[in-house]
Amino acid sequence: MTFLPAVMTVRFLAPLILIRGVGDLLCYQVLISSGNEKYMIRAYLAGAATNILLNIFLINTMKQDGAAIATIISEVVVNGSLLFISRRVVKPNIKLRFFGSILAGVGAMLLTILYIKRLVANPFLSIVFSVVIGAIVYFLIFALIEHEEINTILKKVKG
């Protein structure tokens, strides 16, 4: 029971996994590899300033939850800044069909996993079946839609 107040804080911090992943991609894969790491400091300074200001206001009223919210917002500010800076470095050419195919694969996999979780009571077997069958469904959807990456992989496998 002593950890109960931390539950909400952890829920606030959960999106940080995705937010940091995107930031790392933009930061390390785009800016550093293109020799533009000097611009990263601006994004980090914007995030630090945001975090300090939000902590001043939110910690007094919301305690650890306020600090968690300040952290999430600060990371979004850093990622937004990195995205803005990265836009000047790399001009992405991503087609809407590409995103649609990814959403279709992820959606089908999600529905499959949710269905497996309802059918299989044993947690271990549920995880094993979810991973294996979910991955198969994901790649089958990609193959059915003729996703460009799957076509490339299939061509290399066939030789």
Side-chain angles (χ1 to χ4, degrees), residues 9 25 39 49 57-58 60 65 74 82 88 91 93-94 98 103 109 121 140 145-146:
T9 306
L25 175 70
Y39 297 114
F57 295 108
L58 295 177
N60 287 332
D65 292 341
S74 300
L82 289 172
R88 295 186 213 155
K91 306 283 189 236
N93 186 14
I94 300 173
F98 179 79
L103 286 175
M109 183 175 67
L140 277 175
I145 327 177
E146 298 180 357

Side-chain angles (χ1 to χ4, degrees), residues 5 14 45 49 62 91:
L45 287 173
M62 300 178 71
K91 306 283 189 236

Side-chain angles (χ1 to χ4, degrees), residues 134-154:
I136 290 170
V137 166
Y138 184 76
F139 287 110
L140 277 175
I141 293 295
F142 273 13
L144 289 173
I145 327 177
E146 298 180 357
H147 190 270
E148 5 178 310
E149 298 301 322
I150 292 297
N151 287 338
T152 303
I153 292 170
L154 290 175

